[in-house]
Amino acid sequence: MRLAELHLRARGGPVFATGLGLVTLLSWIAGNWIAGRPYFDGPASRVPVVMLAPLLAAVLLGPTMAGADEELERGTARPWRRWRLGHLLLAVAAIGAAVTSTGLRAPEVFGAHALLRNTLGCVGLVALGAALLGARLAWLPAFGYVCAVYAAGPQTGDAARIWAWPLQASSVTASWLTAGGLFALGTIWYATLGAGAGHGPRPLPR
Amino acid sequence: MRRPLRVELFRGTAPAAALATAGGTVWMLGVHTDAWAGLAGYFRSTLLVLCALMVAAGAWQAGRERRRAMGEMLTSTARPAWQPMLVAWFAVALGGTIGTVSVLGGAAVLIAPVATYVGQGWWWGLLVGLLALWTAAALGVLVGRLVPFRAIAPVAGLATFVGLGAGTYLSNDRVAWLSPVQDTDLTAGQFIPGELHLTQAVWLLALTAALLALAARLRWTTLLTVTLAATAAVPFLTGPRIGRLPTDSRAIEPVCTVDGPPVCVARINAFILDDVATVTQPLLARMTRIPGAPIRVADLDTLSDGQYPEDHVDTVWLNLSEQPRALGGLARGDSLRRLFGRASLPTCDALPEEADRTQYVAREWLTDEPQPVADLPTDQLRALPPDQQRAWFGEYLAAARDCDQEHLVQLGERL
């Protein structure tokens, strides 16, 4: 338990938890504001919350994907694969629970299921980013991809069910499979290999 | 100072900022091709994405000192600390501007041969928009220097996007104009007055200076620039309501066909006049010499803001706002016939089913568009001699205008 506490502190866990709390609060406020506008109608109006809240939470997760000195960490006699897997699963559970809870009271209005699906996909992309680019740039693939899909606007068609997964209704199975696949791929890759080299050690906070 | 700037331009965040803004501009133009017609006006909507990208780029650039542990090295140089920061900001702002302008320039080259009207004072809108990118970069630099967090760049970018997006839902009064992002629809013939451009430009310049002074921690300069920015914001906070933007009278001037039944569109839509005429003139010709039938087509954009089409039965008013494509042609040519059918015929609500069917028959006869009702006797109508077809249609128009249910049912039974 002590080790887990030290691990989370070393990875910036408190900052992440504070950020996640803020994202949850903002998601709640924005969801209520949109649901309370008479000129907004239908699931399309909640897209900003359904896409941006999980993305923002996943972006906050990025810096926690590596410690201050990854090389030094790997030199210690710890089962890092299991620690990394646990770290990611705990993070996705925390993000999923927090973000999804903002839409649970009326899932059909606030898109609770879509929030959960997008959490899986975004965390998967951040994990992939961490494994490939390092923790410093872990946010880049998720940020770039989700923003591009968001800017593309509503998409229909068979291919869009896969590539525009964050925008699809939660009843579209293909979008869940894509988001789940990204999460599985990112988790396995990150848990197995850890964060990429990035740019060397991070200066310790003073 | 030129060498450090060159180094920053090529080795700092500037190339990434240029790529990001160019990509963002291409993307926004690509997914909203119908909005290209008012390119300068649409650029102000595109700023919602571009400002967010510039804030992210500025924050990334400013976080470099911390990431690379350059603090001590920079303080050991003979230059004051604000100078490298200013050069770094300038490089990012320049990179973002180059990325945006290059794409907009390319788009303008594509549109220029097609466009029939560019809009009044469009360059001011463009300049103030570009100025907003510089302000956004300064905000990013400030946030990046203040917040020691690895992922501050994307977080600041997303927060900017959300904040500016929420700002567009403010009522269209002066406070909303503190934001550079305007959801103004210049394609509908509205324009931003010059004094508003000027006030916005002064506000953005003062805000940029204040943000940079804050980032550089220059106490007296900060005091001065913040005072300036607050003064520049006063006209937005205390002035009278702006309300709706004025109409560009030249943009909404009617431009009409010279041959065949008259079809008129606003000057901003004049590049699709032939396409609209190709669809609507045969339909007008079909109603020639029918008493009470419309004889001309007009574009709703030719009306001034707040003006409504007069209830002239001889004119079919069409809403063409979603029709123009950036490079010419109609975006929804097939829907134009349906639009014409709906706009040209009087419609009565709460009719009995038989009378309702007669309305669908008339609409199908006129537009050849399939109607949402099965087994309509339109073919029987078309089997009649042309004179009788027109007489039937004329009777229908008279009955529909009065919503004479009995007569409408009778007309249906006659087929």
Side-chain angles (χ1 to χ4, degrees), chain A residues 51-52 55 59 117-118 120-126 128-129 133 137-153 155 158-168 174-175 178-179 182, chain B residues 27 31 53 154 158:
Chain A
M51 285 184 78
L52 297 183
L55 173 64
V59 160
R117 179 202 56 205
N118 291 355
L120 287 174
C122 289
V123 170
L125 282 170
V126 166
L128 272 173
L133 306 169
L137 288 171
W139 55 271
L140 195 57
F143 181 78
Y145 188 80
V146 175
C147 287
V149 171
Y150 181 91
Q155 299 292 327
D158 290 343
R161 289 165 176 259
I162 294 168
W163 73 261
W165 55 267
L167 264 175
Q168 302 301 311
S175 67
T178 312
L182 281 171
Chain B
W27 191 254
V31 296
L53 288 172
L158 286 172

Side-chain angles (χ1 to χ4, degrees), chain A:
Chain A
M1 199 62 212
R2 172 85 179 131
L3 205 55
E5 188 190 327
L6 285 171
H7 171 84
L8 288 175
R9 269 175 53 192
R11 300 291 176 106
V15 175
F16 168 71
T18 308
L20 182 58
L22 279 172
V23 170
T24 307
L25 185 67
L26 282 172
S27 173
W28 177 277
I29 292 167
N32 275 314
W33 185 79
I34 288 170
R37 301 296 114 177
Y39 47 83
F40 285 138
D41 188 26
S45 61
R46 64 176 185 233
V47 162
V49 176
V50 161
M51 285 184 78
L52 297 183
L55 173 64
L56 205 47
V59 160
L60 292 173
L61 178 67
T64 73
M65 306 292 268
D69 193 333
E70 189 72 2
E71 293 299 313
L72 190 66
E73 264 188 11
R74 286 171 193 240
T76 56
R78 305 298 317 162
W80 281 112
R81 286 181 184 175
R82 265 180 272 166
W83 275 89
R84 285 194 290 260
L85 182 66
H87 179 93
L88 203 57
L89 292 178
L90 182 69
V92 82
I95 296 171
V99 170
T100 308
S101 68
T102 64
L104 268 182
R105 66 194 182 284
E108 68 287 352
V109 176
F110 297 98
H113 303 118
L115 281 164
L116 182 61
R117 179 202 56 205
N118 291 355
T119 297
L120 287 174
C122 289
V123 170
L125 282 170
V126 166
L128 272 173
L132 292 169
L133 306 169
R136 196 170 62 91
L137 288 171
W139 55 271
L140 195 57
F143 181 78
Y145 188 80
V146 175
C147 287
V149 171
Y150 181 91
Q155 299 292 327
T156 51
D158 290 343
R161 289 165 176 259
I162 294 168
W163 73 261
W165 55 267
L167 264 175
Q168 302 301 311
S170 57
S171 55
V172 178
T173 311
S175 67
W176 280 93
L177 290 174
T178 312
L182 281 171
F183 176 68
L185 184 66
T187 304
I188 292 166
W189 203 324
Y190 171 73
T192 309
L193 301 175
H199 281 275
R202 178 177 61 176
L204 288 167
R206 290 176 186 167

Side-chain angles (χ1 to χ4, degrees), chain B residues 44-405:
Chain B
R44 301 297 290 271
S45 303
T46 308
L47 284 175
L48 180 64
V49 169
L50 298 184
C51 282
L53 288 172
M54 288 300 283
V55 167
W60 189 253
Q61 173 84 2
R64 181 188 52 178
E65 290 173 27
R66 200 177 303 108
R67 287 196 304 275
R68 298 281 191 272
M70 291 163 59
E72 281 182 28
M73 190 179 73
L74 285 172
T75 49
S76 67
T77 59
R79 285 195 179 278
W82 60 267
Q83 281 189 9
M85 187 212 78
L86 199 67
V87 172
W89 160 77
F90 186 67
V92 171
L94 202 59
T97 306
I98 289 167
T100 305
V101 169
S102 58
V103 173
L104 285 177
V109 166
L110 287 171
I111 289 171
V114 180
T116 42
Y117 188 66
V118 290
Q120 191 172 310
W122 61 271
W123 54 89
W124 292 117
L126 193 63
L127 283 175
V128 173
L130 291 174
L131 196 55
L133 296 184
W134 293 60
T135 310
L139 177 64
V141 167
L142 173 66
V143 172
R145 281 173 74 93
L146 283 184
V147 185
F149 181 54
R150 263 184 180 182
I152 191 59
V155 170
L158 286 172
T160 304
F161 178 83
V162 171
L164 290 175
T168 60
Y169 289 104
L170 287 173
S171 57
N172 192 16
D173 56 18
R174 285 195 169 259
V175 176
W177 288 88
L178 284 168
S179 160
V181 180
Q182 299 301 331
D183 215 1
T184 53
D185 190 3
L186 297 195
T187 57
Q190 294 181 314
F191 72 100
I192 302 172
E195 61 95 16
L196 200 51
H197 280 311
L198 186 65
T199 319
Q200 262 198 320
V202 170
W203 152 246
L204 289 171
L205 279 169
L207 183 63
T208 307
L211 291 168
L212 289 171
L214 272 166
R217 297 186 181 90
L218 299 169
R219 198 178 309 162
W220 293 110
T221 315
T222 299
L223 195 65
L224 177 69
T225 51
V226 167
T227 308
L228 277 174
T231 309
V234 166
F236 293 107
L237 301 173
T238 60
R241 276 183 61 84
I242 290 167
R244 296 189 71 83
L245 291 170
T247 302
D248 182 350
S249 56
R250 185 150 165 74
I252 63 169
E253 272 177 359
V255 177
C256 303
T257 51
V258 287
D259 299 318
V263 176
C264 297
V265 297
R267 184 174 298 283
I268 42 171
N269 295 331
F271 65 97
I272 58 165
L273 176 60
D274 291 344
D275 302 288
V276 174
T278 303
V279 174
T280 57
Q281 280 187 331
L283 303 177
L284 285 172
R286 194 169 284 186
M287 294 188 284
T288 309
R289 296 195 307 279
I290 294 177
I295 55 169
R296 72 172 62 87
V297 165
D299 176 2
L300 279 169
D301 280 347
T302 55
L303 299 170
S304 299
D305 190 33
Q307 195 184 355
Y308 292 96
E310 291 175 31
D311 204 7
H312 284 315
V313 293
D314 64 350
T315 306
V316 180
W317 291 95
L318 294 180
N319 179 358
L320 300 175
S321 60
E322 292 185 353
Q323 287 293 349
R325 280 173 56 197
L327 303 179
L330 300 176
R332 297 178 175 87
D334 54 340
S335 72
L336 193 59
R337 294 176 77 84
R338 284 196 293 277
L339 193 64
F340 183 94
R342 280 200 301 274
S344 59
L345 303 180
T347 307
C348 303
D349 296 325
L351 287 174
E353 193 184 341
E354 296 83 358
D356 216 20
R357 284 173 66 82
T358 307
Q359 289 199 117
Y360 283 118
V361 171
R363 206 173 283 174
E364 190 169 54
W365 176 85
L366 177 63
T367 63
D368 295 328
E369 287 286 316
Q371 300 299 307
V373 177
D375 303 325
L376 289 172
T378 316
D379 288 340
Q380 282 93 308
L381 176 60
R382 289 196 182 117
L384 298 172
D387 288 350
Q388 287 184 36
Q389 288 184 46
R390 280 202 285 270
W392 184 94
F393 194 80
E395 271 189 72
Y396 161 78
L397 284 175
R401 218 158 272 135
D402 299 334
C403 286
D404 184 344
Q405 295 185 14

